[in-house]
């Protein structure tokens, strides 16, 4: 049975965090755009979001090469956790108790998969 080592788990966290960070920057950038057009893509925050996604994808491609998809793919759920944390701290969005319970269940499920 294949287990995820600490380095691979770190890379998984880096990739999913960068994915969430990219989403955050897209959200921030789109808040400044009045009309979606090709010029809207020149928004600094949207560009930062694309760069974050590029690096997230590069790390993910490496992980896909070395780990089974059935083991790796469920860890995309970490982006939910990172997304909630970023939304709370950066955007000031409220987090409800039900959401926190859901995030704990996600974390427990991923712990079971990783072991």
């Amino acid at each position: 049975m294949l287990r995820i080592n600490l380095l691979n788990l770190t890379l998984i966290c880096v990739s999913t965090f960068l994915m969430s960070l990219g989403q955050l920057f897209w959200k921030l950038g789109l808040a400044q755009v009045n009309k979606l057009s090709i010029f809207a893509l020149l928004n600094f925050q949207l560009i930062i979001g694309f760069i974050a996604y590029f690096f997230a994808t590069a790390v993910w491609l490496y992980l896909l090469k070395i780990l089974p998809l059935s083991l790796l793919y469920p860890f995309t759920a970490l982006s939910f956790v990172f997304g909630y944390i970023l939304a709370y701290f950066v955007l000031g969005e409220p987090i409800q108790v039900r959401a926190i319970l859901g995030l704990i269940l996600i974390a427990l499920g991923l712990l079971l998969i990783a072991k």
Side-chain angles (χ1 to χ4, degrees):
M1 178 174 186
L2 183 64
R3 291 175 33 158
I4 296 177
N5 64 34
L6 185 58
L7 175 62
N8 291 342
L9 184 58
T10 301
L11 290 174
I12 289 168
C13 288
V14 166
S15 179
T16 54
F17 178 76
L18 286 172
M19 187 181 353
S20 300
L21 195 63
Q23 293 280 335
L24 173 70
F25 275 102
W26 287 346
K27 173 81 172 164
L28 294 171
L30 289 172
Q32 298 176 359
V33 172
N34 293 332
K35 180 181 174 188
L36 285 178
S37 69
I38 193 70
F39 298 108
L41 298 178
L42 298 176
N43 176 298
F44 179 73
Q45 290 172 319
L46 289 177
I47 292 170
I48 295 298
F50 287 120
I51 291 169
Y53 246 81
F54 172 81
F55 285 107
T57 301
V59 173
W60 197 256
L61 290 174
Y62 169 75
L63 290 166
L64 282 171
K65 183 169 177 57
I66 63 171
L67 294 173
L69 181 62
S70 61
L71 181 66
L72 181 60
Y73 191 73
F75 284 89
T76 59
L78 279 176
S79 64
F80 296 131
V81 177
F82 291 133
Y84 270 99
I85 292 169
L86 289 170
Y88 176 77
F89 285 108
V90 177
L91 302 175
E93 294 181 7
I95 295 181
Q96 299 177 358
V97 174
R98 286 189 328 196
I100 292 171
L101 293 174
L103 296 176
I104 291 169
L105 289 174
I106 289 171
L108 290 173
L110 293 174
L111 183 64
L112 288 173
I113 291 170
K115 295 288 178 184

